[in-house]
Amino acid sequence: MKLTLCLVLLFRLVHASHNATRKIIAAAEADGITLFSLPFAAEALAEIQAIYDLEHIDVPSAVENATRVDTHAHVVPPWYQAVVPFAGQVPTPNWTLEDHLGFMANYSIGHSVLSISAPGSVVYPGSEVKSVALARLLNEYLVALVRKVPAHFFFFAVTPLPYTDAAITEISYALGHLGAAGVGLLSNHEGYYLGNVMFKAFFTDLDARDISKEVVFVHPNGPCLHAINGSLIDANPTVYPEGIAEFYFETARTFMDLTITQTIINFTSINWIVPHGGGAFPSIEDRFIDSQPAGVVAASNAAYSTRLFWDAAGPVFPHQVQGLLAYGVPPSQLLFGTDYPYAHFPYALQIATIENATFLTASEKVGLFAGNSKTLFAS
Ligand SMILES: *[C@@H]1O[C@H](CO)[C@@H](O)[C@H](O)[C@H]1NC(C)=O
Ligand SMILES: *[C@@H]1O[C@H](CO)[C@@H](O)[C@H](O)[C@H]1NC(C)=O
Ligand SMILES: *[C@@H]1O[C@H](CO)[C@@H](O)[C@H](O)[C@H]1NC(C)=O
Ligand SMILES: *[C@@H]1O[C@H](CO)[C@@H](O)[C@H](O)[C@H]1NC(C)=O
Ligand SMILES: *[C@@H]1O[C@H](CO)[C@@H](O)[C@H](O)[C@H]1NC(C)=O
Ligand SMILES: *[C@@H]1O[C@H](CO)[C@@H](O)[C@H](O)[C@H]1NC(C)=O
Ligand SMILES: *[C@@H]1O[C@H](CO)[C@@H](O)[C@H](O)[C@H]1NC(C)=O
């Protein structure tokens, strides 16, 4: 009888130590986050717990020694897909851990830096409580995957901007406690582009965090406008889904804003990943930068070639990237990225066009697929 009781207590103790849910709730409470403001919080926590409870994860042998590093790779938790059934105005893709590992095996990807695609935590415009809770649940989901497959996964934290104070708290938790490889931002958060003066405190904090450089991965978001009554309205002026062209304009807009506000040149401890080879940014660069003081132009150009890294997700090769390189951005700033599972362009073709590019040397291609990202994350 006594022994049975002991065993029961022991079982409870051991079990309790593996109760991730309890720790997640406590950490959120300590940061003033109300996870249960979201109706699906219990379901999300159960799915996160289920990841921790997986006994065995079958990492395909082809992933083991694969060398490519995918810096633009997305995760879609099932509960998030239910909340965000459309992304870029097309159905949000299905995602599973098993498929992701199978994808990596198929394309010789040894490391993936996991992130959440648009709209990130910008799902409840005007509600700080819900946005912050969503960002936290997404970060807990991402880190659970990384902890289960630490040899192959890293993650970029979801940042609940435009709520600056909460965003600072969240990245402090994600970078400091969860070991995020960097932070993920959107081109606009509730219609505010990244150079907006209300984000200055956020970048000041990020810049001052550490002696090493922090990595900011920017992802395009759909364009939107503030209606007179304060609500947010979709601002895609065309009949085509955002993913076709608006995302490229979004990237151009936000990096123009970051340049003109001097956010890029003032905060020298931040390295940036610009998605999709800059999107439409190279096309507008000469035009907007012409209005800037010579010192800003020189410092910005220097940053574009040193602290900005440009990912090759999408049909960036062979045409678009040559516009970027024509500005003098060295190939050592190019990164590999796939946009899995969102891309609507065949992954095999994307990779073949990079392999095939006549304007990069063999060693520059090796750098693009792997070495350049190691430089980025090690700096
Ligand atoms: C883990 O902790 C949560 C929150 O305290 C609780 O609801 C749940 O029942 C616990 N799960 C187990 C398996 O003990
Ligand atoms: C990976 O590399 C290690 C060390 O070289 C080797 O022992 C192992 O067999 C390789 N695995 C695969 C799947 O090739
Ligand atoms: C997700 O999977 C379901 C079930 O297989 C399928 O009906 C649906 O079309 C898939 N969604 C997308 C966006 O591919
Ligand atoms: C990987 O390749 C296999 C074999 O061609 C295919 O069955 C599978 O669907 C692929 N997985 C992904 C996620 O693309
Ligand atoms: C606010 O204005 C927009 C655009 O005119 C409209 O679509 C929306 O329904 C309005 N919202 C409220 C709460 O009145
Ligand atoms: C960057 O510094 C300049 C002064 O050198 C200042 O005018 C500008 O407002 C600063 N911008 C940001 C985003 O800190
Ligand atoms: C590779 O380059 C050759 C020669 O320029 C071209 O014929 C072929 O279509 C290219 N393949 C891809 C996938 O870009």
Side-chain angles (χ1 to χ4, degrees):
M1 192 66 187
K2 253 189 176 165
L3 182 67
T4 316
L5 187 65
C6 276
L7 284 175
V8 167
L9 286 176
L10 186 66
F11 174 78
R12 281 197 186 150
L13 197 68
V14 169
H15 216 248
S17 71
H18 292 289
N19 191 333
T21 310
R22 192 184 314 239
K23 281 189 192 162
I24 290 168
I25 293 171
E29 277 172 1
D31 281 338
I33 299 170
T34 317
L35 295 179
F36 292 97
S37 62
L38 298 172
F40 53 86
E43 184 198 339
L45 287 166
E47 286 185 20
I48 294 165
Q49 182 71 53
I51 297 171
Y52 282 107
D53 290 345
L54 286 172
E55 270 171 26
H56 175 74
I57 291 174
D58 194 15
V59 177
S61 64
V63 171
E64 251 176 56
N65 298 333
T67 55
R68 289 179 183 155
V69 181
D70 185 355
T71 58
H72 191 147
H74 299 303
V75 163
V76 188
W79 47 271
Y80 184 72
Q81 188 189 34
V83 175
V84 180
F86 288 86
Q89 301 176 317
V90 296
T92 304
N94 294 318
W95 176 94
T96 67
L97 173 56
E98 192 188 356
D99 283 348
H100 202 124
L101 290 167
F103 166 76
M104 290 168 71
N106 288 0
Y107 296 107
S108 306
I109 296 166
H111 296 94
S112 292
V113 192
L114 307 174
S115 59
I116 302 295
S117 187
S121 60
V122 185
V123 177
Y124 305 101
S127 174
E128 173 165 358
V129 170
K130 287 185 174 172
S131 304
V132 167
L134 180 56
R136 175 58 60 93
L137 285 174
L138 289 168
N139 286 330
E140 294 289 4
Y141 193 93
L142 289 165
V143 77
L145 295 169
V146 171
R147 285 175 179 161
K148 279 313 235 193
V149 192
H152 303 286
F153 286 159
F154 301 90
F155 82 105
F156 289 129
V158 176
T159 309
L161 285 172
Y163 307 101
T164 311
D165 290 344
I168 291 171
T169 301
E170 191 60 23
I171 62 161
S172 171
Y173 178 70
L175 293 168
H177 294 272
L178 303 184
V183 302
L185 300 182
L186 300 169
S187 54
N188 81 76
H189 287 255
E190 295 195 14
Y192 302 108
Y193 288 85
L194 294 177
N196 194 291
V197 69
M198 69 197 210
F199 297 163
K200 186 165 172 169
F202 173 79
F203 288 116
T204 304
D205 181 89
L206 185 63
D207 190 62
R209 275 193 59 81
D210 219 297
I211 45 164
S212 63
K213 288 193 167 56
E214 301 293 352
V215 178
V216 172
F217 168 67
V218 177
H219 198 279
N221 197 9
C224 55
L225 291 170
H226 297 102
I228 292 164
N229 62 16
S231 78
L232 216 53
I233 48 177
D234 169 38
N236 177 357
T238 70
V239 296
Y240 310 108
E242 286 161 350
I244 297 210
E246 296 309 314
F247 276 9
Y248 273 29
F249 300 143
E250 276 288 307
T251 300
R253 275 187 203 109
T254 215
F255 277 92
M256 174 179 72
D257 195 28
L258 288 165
T259 301
I260 294 176
T261 56
Q262 304 177 27
T263 307
I264 289 174
I265 63 175
N266 288 8
F267 300 117
T268 54
S269 290
I270 299 177
N271 282 335
W272 300 82
I273 299 180
V274 196
H276 307 297
F281 183 75
S283 299
I284 65 161
E285 197 178 325
D286 276 346
R287 188 173 178 104
F288 84 82
I289 214 161
D290 204 37
S291 61
Q292 301 305 303
V296 172
V297 175
S300 300
N301 279 327
Y304 298 158
S305 293
T306 51
R307 285 190 292 108
L308 269 60
F309 290 76
W310 311 75
D311 83 41
V316 165
F317 275 72
H319 303 128
Q320 187 200 331
V321 71
Q322 294 183 76
L324 174 68
L325 298 176
Y327 280 90
V329 169
S332 55
Q333 299 303 113
L334 300 176
L335 302 178
F336 178 56
T338 62
D339 219 350
Y340 183 80
Y342 285 78
H344 311 291
F345 308 97
Y347 304 107
L349 188 63
Q350 284 183 37
I351 293 169
T353 50
I354 297 171
E355 298 276 23
N356 211 18
T358 51
F359 51 91
L360 294 187
T361 66
S363 77
E364 286 166 348
K365 289 173 195 171
V366 171
L368 184 154
F369 281 117
N372 301 347
S373 59
K374 291 191 178 116
T375 310
L376 164 65
F377 289 111
S379 69

